[in-house]
Amino acid sequence: MRLTLGEQRVPAGFAAAFAGQRERFPGPPDAWRPVHTVYVPAGRFDRHTVRSWGERALALLETHLPDARALAAVFGPMGGDLAADVRGRVAAKLAAEPVEDLRIDFEDGYGVPPGEREDADAVAAAEAVAAMRAGGTLPRRWGLRVKSFADGDPARSLRTLDAFLTAVLAHAGGLPDGFTVTFPKVLMEEYLGQFAACLGELEAGLGLPAGTLRFEMQVEAPQTVMFLARSPGLVASLGGRLAAAHFGVFDYTAACGLPPHEQRLDHPVCDHAREVMRVALAGTGVELSDGSLAASPASGATPDVHALWRTHAALVRHSLRHGFPQGWDMHPSHLVSRYATVYAFHLEHRDAFAARVRAWEERRDEAAGGVMDEPATIRTLSAALRRAELTLGEA
């Protein structure tokens, strides 16, 4: 065979560009991640919080969804034994691990108490974390949300983080696995680099290995969406410290001027913001999380509890369909609708996805139903099956 360019022709600069690609776009990790983040105001948090949430959620399930038929009536038609399977899984989850990711909130849900009160609450929260670890109830992921630098007082934010971490290490004998920090209201891109640098200083002061302390930013304003879109090197500039981006629905919709009754996760302005987040952070390994529903059952009556679950389930499904597998939960009742919706979502599609992957692997022309899949679709199906396996605890 004759070649014009010669053997093994490689463009000048390719090696550096390819190395840059590998560094900037490592892709998503093949690891478990939580389906939610539970936010609890620091002033109402103690060592019993997770157990209490689980007990309250399980009581709601037993009272208002006594059997599979009741569950299907609330969360939609489920063929065969799916409803019974989902209900059994939800009950087992609430009993064994009701909260997958816990955030102790020192920001909006906490308020602005006197400084000495926040100092005391930071230490008390750390003591509770150490007790939970000792008792086996600390979630697989956990951490705190500090105050925003946008408030004009970064010293308060960092003081709380410092006091909390110092106390955790003192009482727990080390930093338990799964720790992260939520950094809210990032109105200026510069705040991210400043916060990352402070985490490095804390690591050094506490004797932690470099890179231990990571954080998640909250996307809560149009300004944040804009700098995400125009800063392709942002993640790399933070030295691996940015773990996730969480969408803040209420601050964002308020900043967009929406009236209160339109401040909801499935509003088009939220879809736009999340899509920018997806595009800006695609391939970087930064996880994406959706926001929350700021509502609880209007009363303890079954119709009111069911109404809340239907509303929450619709929003969770919206997030899942749009590729956001995680969101916030703000009330014990949300645990029931979160797990029921997530489990049904994965179980409903699992067999069909697996059949399409098998058809591809066996080099059949088309899967059942006449679907002709492309390699990219097969990768997506395989990733969805892996996500289902991890979420359902079947890995």
Side-chain angles (χ1 to χ4, degrees), residues 250-272:
F250 301 109
D251 281 279
Y252 191 85
T253 51
C256 290
L258 299 188
H261 63 279
E262 292 292 348
Q263 294 180 6
R264 50 185 171 82
L265 279 176
D266 57 355
H267 193 282
V269 302
C270 298
D271 290 340
H272 170 263

Side-chain angles (χ1 to χ4, degrees), residues 37 39 107-108 145 182 184-185 217-222 224-225 245-274 277 289-295 311-312 315-316 318-319 324 326-330 334 338:
T37 301
Y39 279 74
E107 203 229 0
D108 280 351
R145 178 165 70 171
T182 303
K185 296 183 179 62
M217 64 178 290
Q218 287 195 261
V219 178
E220 301 178 86
T224 315
V225 171
H246 287 218
F247 183 62
V249 55
F250 301 109
D251 281 279
Y252 191 85
T253 51
C256 290
L258 299 188
H261 63 279
E262 292 292 348
Q263 294 180 6
R264 50 185 171 82
L265 279 176
D266 57 355
H267 193 282
V269 302
C270 298
D271 290 340
H272 170 263
R274 285 191 298 263
M277 291 169 61
S289 176
D290 215 339
S292 60
L293 170 67
T311 298
H312 188 228
L315 296 176
V316 173
H318 186 84
S319 299
F324 278 67
Q326 182 178 347
W328 297 2
D329 287 332
M330 313 294 286
H334 297 174
R338 172 73 60 182

Side-chain angles (χ1 to χ4, degrees), residues 31-383:
W32 172 88
R33 62 172 292 186
V35 301
H36 67 179
T37 301
V38 165
Y39 279 74
V40 179
R44 299 203 296 268
F45 171 74
D46 61 33
R47 68 185 66 187
H48 306 297
T49 294
V50 168
R51 185 180 66 190
S52 172
W53 273 55
E55 291 172 349
R56 292 168 64 187
L58 190 56
L60 287 167
L61 177 74
E62 298 297 344
T63 300
H64 303 290
L65 295 177
D67 52 35
R69 180 177 296 181
L71 184 137
V74 173
F75 296 107
M78 298 185 190
D81 298 324
L82 179 58
D85 188 5
V86 169
R87 192 191 182 284
R89 289 174 183 270
V90 173
K93 184 69 170 179
L94 295 176
E97 188 188 25
V99 175
E100 293 188 343
D101 186 16
L102 171 69
R103 210 65 76 246
I104 306 161
D105 187 18
F106 284 89
E107 203 229 0
D108 280 351
Y110 178 66
V112 188
E116 59 273 16
R117 169 68 182 278
E118 186 160 339
D119 289 344
D121 284 343
V123 172
E127 293 171 350
V129 164
M132 292 169 72
R133 184 201 193 187
T137 60
L138 185 64
R140 280 185 273 180
R141 284 205 192 165
W142 62 281
L144 75 166
R145 178 165 70 171
V146 295
K147 287 181 167 59
S148 170
F149 280 16
D151 296 335
D153 188 8
R156 178 66 264 178
S157 176
L158 295 171
R159 180 182 176 89
T160 297
L161 177 59
D162 189 344
F164 177 81
L165 282 173
T166 301
V168 167
L169 267 65
H171 291 284
L175 186 65
D177 291 341
F179 175 76
T180 192
V181 187
T182 303
F183 190 51
K185 296 183 179 62
V186 189
L187 297 185
M188 298 292 290
E189 184 177 347
E190 291 83 354
Y191 294 160
L192 293 172
Q194 293 164 6
F195 191 64
C198 290
L199 293 181
E201 293 174 18
L202 264 176
E203 281 175 352
L206 294 170
L208 295 171
T212 298
L213 300 181
R214 304 184 73 203
F215 73 100
E216 56 199 21
M217 64 178 290
Q218 287 195 261
V219 178
E220 301 178 86
Q223 296 94 321
T224 315
V225 171
M226 288 298 294
F227 75 63
L228 280 176
R230 69 171 182 255
S231 303
L234 175 63
V235 176
S237 74
L238 298 174
R241 293 200 186 275
L242 184 62
H246 287 218
F247 183 62
V249 55
F250 301 109
D251 281 279
Y252 191 85
T253 51
C256 290
L258 299 188
H261 63 279
E262 292 292 348
Q263 294 180 6
R264 50 185 171 82
L265 279 176
D266 57 355
H267 193 282
V269 302
C270 298
D271 290 340
H272 170 263
R274 285 191 298 263
E275 194 58 33
V276 174
M277 291 169 61
R278 187 204 314 279
V279 171
L281 299 171
T284 63
V286 173
E287 296 177 351
L288 299 177
S289 176
D290 215 339
S292 60
L293 170 67
S296 59
S299 76
T302 294
D304 286 337
V305 177
H306 284 184
L308 182 281
W309 281 339
R310 288 191 180 97
T311 298
H312 188 228
L315 296 176
V316 173
R317 279 192 293 270
H318 186 84
S319 299
L320 291 169
R321 287 196 301 267
H322 286 75
F324 278 67
Q326 182 178 347
W328 297 2
D329 287 332
M330 313 294 286
H331 187 269
S333 62
H334 297 174
L335 302 184
V336 176
S337 38
R338 172 73 60 182
Y339 288 124
T341 307
V342 169
Y343 290 164
F345 180 84
H346 287 300
L347 291 167
E348 284 170 349
H349 301 289
R350 184 171 60 174
D351 290 346
F353 287 0
R356 290 169 65 177
V357 173
R358 283 195 302 272
W360 173 268
E361 292 171 343
E362 294 167 4
R363 299 297 189 266
R364 284 185 265 140
D365 289 338
E366 58 188 41
V371 178
M372 299 177 64
D373 284 313
E374 293 288 327
T377 304
I378 293 299
R379 289 194 294 271
T380 301
L381 291 169
S382 297

